[in-house]
């Protein structure tokens, strides 16, 4: 870490000089931050690598942002094809974690938005060849999934339990790589089924994923017993109770106590209420209509994505 910090400080200073920043105050402050100061600050905070950004941000948010996105940024030019910088790696997804030699299911850190922003995620390294980045998980009802737009945009829950990874992270992943999708479902009688889609993306052609509504695209369905509840809604925008982007005159998220790519309204409501099996209420549970209909709330739901390689 010390070596990394030293190099980063040196390279950042060079980068600042190269950028020929004319706002002298910003430039001088950052250039004046020596490697030792970077290390000292890191030692004080005991924060991981993104602390370099945090060090600069209070001094100069604009400069910090510019450096992060500069094509000459040291992390951009020196990262290899496995997203590693020397001994430090910034895997984009569980696929790259798998390629680093990890074969156990569990929580790992991925970097959908770049090297300064790690995100905890559960990697399924066993199912169907492994390498799956799980972005939605229900299993015991301990986490409240009836949340607003910002929560679904940013993510919530815990990576070793129930969680939603976040629409922005999913968008950034499918912006950078091609992915397939797998939905694993289980009822309270331990029956297990899945649905698989050869292509999956969220607004992957948009300049701004949120502005486009984090639009779902799936195709290439394979039936693992669950039936197909998603192909018909390919092209739908994501909706929460406070951000109605469905095609119904009603508010589907509010009416069915969930958040999803609703149309008018749904066949899948995997972020619905955790109602534990059969329920008399209509379509507001963890439902997948093609398997258990609108009156059965599933025990386990896992939505997971995996990189598709050209040789496959
Ligand atoms: Ca509506």
């Amino acid at each position: 870490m010390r070596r990394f910090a030293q190099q980063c400080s040196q390279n950042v200073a060079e980068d600042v000089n190269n950028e020929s920043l004319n706002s002298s105050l910003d430039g001088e402050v950052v250039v004046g931050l020596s490697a030792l100061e970077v290390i000292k600050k890191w030692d004080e905070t005991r924060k991981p690598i993104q602390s370099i950004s945090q060090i600069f941000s209070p001094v100069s948010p604009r400069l910090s942002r510019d450096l992060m996105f500069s094509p000459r940024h040291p992390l951009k030019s020196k990262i290899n094809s496995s997203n590693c910088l020397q001994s430090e790696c910034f895997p984009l997804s569980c696929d790259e974690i798998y390629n680093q030699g990890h074969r156990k299911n569990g929580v790992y850190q991925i970097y959908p938005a770049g090297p300064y922003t790690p995100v905890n995620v559960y990697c399924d390294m066993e199912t169907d060849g492994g390498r799956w980045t799980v972005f939605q998980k229900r299993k015991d009802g301990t986490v409240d999934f009836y949340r607003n737009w910002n929560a679904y945009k940013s993510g919530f829950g815990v990576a070793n339990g129930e969680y939603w990874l976040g629409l922005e992270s999913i968008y950034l992943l499918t912006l950078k790589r091609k992915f397939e999708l797998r939905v694993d479902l289980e009822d309270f009688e331990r029956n297990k089924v899945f649905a698989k889609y050869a292509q999956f993306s969220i607004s992957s052609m948009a300049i701004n994923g949120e502005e486009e509504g984090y639009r779902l695209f799936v195709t290439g369905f394979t039936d693992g017993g669950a039936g197909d509840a998603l192909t018909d809604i390919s092209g739908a925008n994501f909706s929460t109770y406070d951000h109605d982007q469905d095609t119904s005159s009603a508010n589907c998220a509010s009416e069915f106590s969930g958040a999803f790519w609703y149309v008018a309204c749904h066949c899948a409501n995997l972020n619905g209420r955790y109602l534990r099996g059969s329920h008399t209420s209509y379509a507001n549970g963890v439902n997948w209509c093609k398997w258990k209909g609108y009156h059965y709330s599933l025990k386990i739901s896992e939505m997971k994505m995996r990189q598709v390689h050209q040789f496959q």
Side-chain angles (χ1 to χ4, degrees):
M1 183 64 207
R2 283 171 183 273
R3 191 174 69 246
F4 174 81
Q6 279 174 327
Q7 182 175 2
C8 238
S9 174
Q10 181 184 349
N11 286 337
V12 166
E14 288 172 1
D15 220 18
V16 170
N17 287 330
N18 290 339
E19 297 282 350
S20 300
L21 291 169
N22 54 14
S23 63
S24 57
L25 181 60
D26 283 349
E28 286 169 9
V29 169
V30 175
V31 173
L33 198 65
S34 71
L36 283 175
E37 286 174 289
V38 171
I39 292 166
K40 183 168 178 293
K41 280 187 176 293
W42 180 77
D43 281 340
E44 286 169 359
T45 59
R46 310 302 297 175
K47 292 277 177 62
I49 289 162
Q50 71 269 25
S51 62
I52 304 236
S53 161
Q54 290 164 350
I55 289 166
F56 294 143
S57 293
V59 178
S60 167
R62 182 190 62 77
L63 184 60
S64 174
R65 188 195 63 228
D66 289 349
L67 286 170
M68 287 165 66
F69 290 97
S70 164
R72 291 208 299 275
H73 189 278
L75 293 176
K76 285 263 172 69
S77 60
K78 295 183 180 179
I79 286 176
N80 66 21
S81 58
S82 298
N83 273 336
C84 293
L85 174 68
Q86 296 177 344
S87 61
E88 302 286 347
C89 294
F90 309 95
L92 193 64
S93 71
C94 295
D95 194 282
E96 293 181 0
I97 292 170
Y98 186 95
N99 290 343
Q100 290 165 15
H102 297 283
R103 296 290 184 273
K104 288 185 179 177
N105 289 344
V107 176
Y108 297 87
Q109 287 192 330
I110 58 173
Y111 298 78
Y116 296 113
T117 48
V119 179
N120 288 321
V121 75
Y122 190 87
C123 294
D124 179 346
M125 300 300 204
E126 296 177 358
T127 304
D128 187 18
R131 299 188 286 118
W132 295 98
T133 303
V134 178
F135 65 85
Q136 188 263 13
K137 188 163 187 172
R138 312 292 298 274
K139 68 187 186 93
D140 52 21
T142 53
V143 170
D144 178 11
F145 273 64
Y146 191 52
R147 305 225 186 183
N148 64 16
W149 180 258
N150 281 337
Y152 273 90
K153 177 186 175 185
S154 305
F156 58 83
V158 286
N160 63 349
E162 297 194 321
Y163 71 93
W164 175 261
L165 180 63
L167 290 162
E168 186 65 17
S169 289
I170 303 169
Y171 158 70
L172 289 171
L173 288 173
T174 66
L175 185 70
K176 295 173 178 176
R177 299 283 189 278
K178 293 188 185 306
F179 281 88
E180 58 185 332
L181 170 69
R182 181 177 166 115
V183 182
D184 280 301
L185 305 172
E186 185 176 332
D187 65 14
F188 283 86
E189 288 76 48
R190 297 191 175 181
N191 299 306
K192 298 178 182 179
V193 296
F194 68 88
K196 200 170 167 182
Y197 298 85
Q199 292 180 52
F200 162 69
S201 66
I202 303 295
S203 288
S204 64
M205 298 302 285
I207 304 297
N208 181 324
E210 181 178 19
E211 185 182 74
E212 212 213 21
Y214 294 125
R215 185 174 299 169
L216 174 70
F217 172 76
V218 290
T219 189
F221 170 68
T222 298
D223 196 357
D228 182 6
L230 297 183
T231 299
D232 283 350
I233 59 166
S234 184
N237 292 337
F238 199 90
S239 286
T240 55
Y241 63 80
D242 62 338
H243 201 65
D244 179 354
Q245 302 192 102
D246 59 47
T247 58
S248 167
S249 57
N251 182 323
C252 295
S254 172
E255 189 166 339
F256 298 107
S257 307
F260 212 66
W261 294 276
Y262 293 119
V263 283
C265 277
H266 74 77
C267 178
N269 194 39
L270 298 179
N271 295 325
R273 292 179 62 198
Y274 198 82
L275 296 176
R276 297 181 166 78
S278 297
H279 55 90
T280 54
S281 55
Y282 176 67
N284 62 341
V286 183
N287 304 134
W288 185 269
C289 83
K290 292 295 176 70
W291 185 36
K292 291 281 185 175
Y294 289 112
H295 296 281
Y296 190 96
S297 184
L298 301 167
K299 180 182 182 184
I300 294 175
S301 162
E302 289 181 356
M303 302 184 75
K304 53 192 78 170
M305 54 201 289
R306 175 167 70 181
Q307 285 180 220
V308 178
H309 299 281
Q310 289 181 335
F311 56 80
Q312 288 180 328

